[in-house]
Amino acid sequence: MAYKAINNIQAVDLDSLDAGSATKEYPLGTILPVNDTSKGGVSEFMYVKAHAGFATVGTPFEIVAGSGGDAEVVTKAVATLASGAKIGFNTSAITSGHYFWAQTAGVLTAAAKAGITAGDFVKVDNTETDVETDGTTLTVNSIGIAKTSTASSAITLAIIPGRTVTISA
């Protein structure tokens, strides 16, 4: 990808946006907006620790406060939640326990169920590891908008910036 830092943020190695590391390199919870020139828009990333391995690029997960001693921000499996779920996606394969930049806004490739059409709003349900259609109207479950229809179990997804959602059973 072709990333360019916004607001002249120079302290982050932008090549690390698409890679995980066994070593914590930045404060957990750091939020980084970047101009993704390959997608023609601003994307947002949050530095987190993986609760599990993510072999499939674009796997959705929940971002939560962890139980660690250093203001830990971790991923967790998507679970039923009445409101306020922050959803992130990995942009490369990630090993369990590694630190990485989770994409939380902007355009990305997401793992997807069949039946999604370009223009559909999409959501993630309890325990799911891919997105599915949420219809043509924005709801409390919608995390973004499909830019493409499902092909090879993936879509191009535009995540709505700053969005937190309800996770249904």
Side-chain angles (χ1 to χ4, degrees):
M1 297 200 180
Y3 296 119
K4 181 179 178 187
I6 293 177
N7 298 329
N8 294 321
I9 298 172
Q10 301 296 325
V12 174
D13 175 4
L14 297 180
D15 290 335
S16 72
L17 292 180
D18 290 322
S21 173
T23 305
K24 184 171 86 170
E25 299 172 1
Y26 309 101
L28 290 166
T30 297
I31 296 172
L32 180 67
V34 296
N35 180 11
D36 185 346
T37 58
S38 68
K39 302 226 170 62
V42 174
S43 293
E44 186 176 270
F45 295 83
M46 181 182 289
Y47 198 64
V48 298
K49 184 176 183 180
H51 77 285
F54 301 111
T56 303
V57 171
T59 299
F61 46 78
E62 203 173 329
I63 298 174
V64 297
S67 59
D70 62 357
E72 196 169 74
V73 178
V74 298
T75 66
K76 74 174 214 126
V78 176
T80 303
L81 189 65
S83 65
K86 181 73 167 174
I87 304 297
F89 294 81
N90 57 307
T91 59
S92 64
I94 300 295
T95 302
S96 180
H98 279 205
Y99 301 90
F100 71 104
W101 290 99
Q103 189 165 351
T104 57
V107 177
L108 66 114
T109 298
K113 291 193 180 322
I116 297 174
T117 302
D120 283 354
F121 288 93
V122 297
K123 65 180 180 174
V124 181
D125 280 339
N126 183 39
T127 71
E128 295 294 333
T129 57
D130 50 17
V131 298
E132 62 185 76
T133 188
D134 195 28
T136 57
T137 304
L138 181 69
T139 73
V140 296
N141 301 82
S142 304
I143 59 171
I145 303 165
K147 293 180 59 86
T148 60
S149 298
T150 306
S152 301
S153 302
I155 60 167
T156 300
L157 167 66
I159 306 169
I160 301 168
R163 185 92 170 141
T164 58
V165 296
T166 295
I167 304 295
S168 298

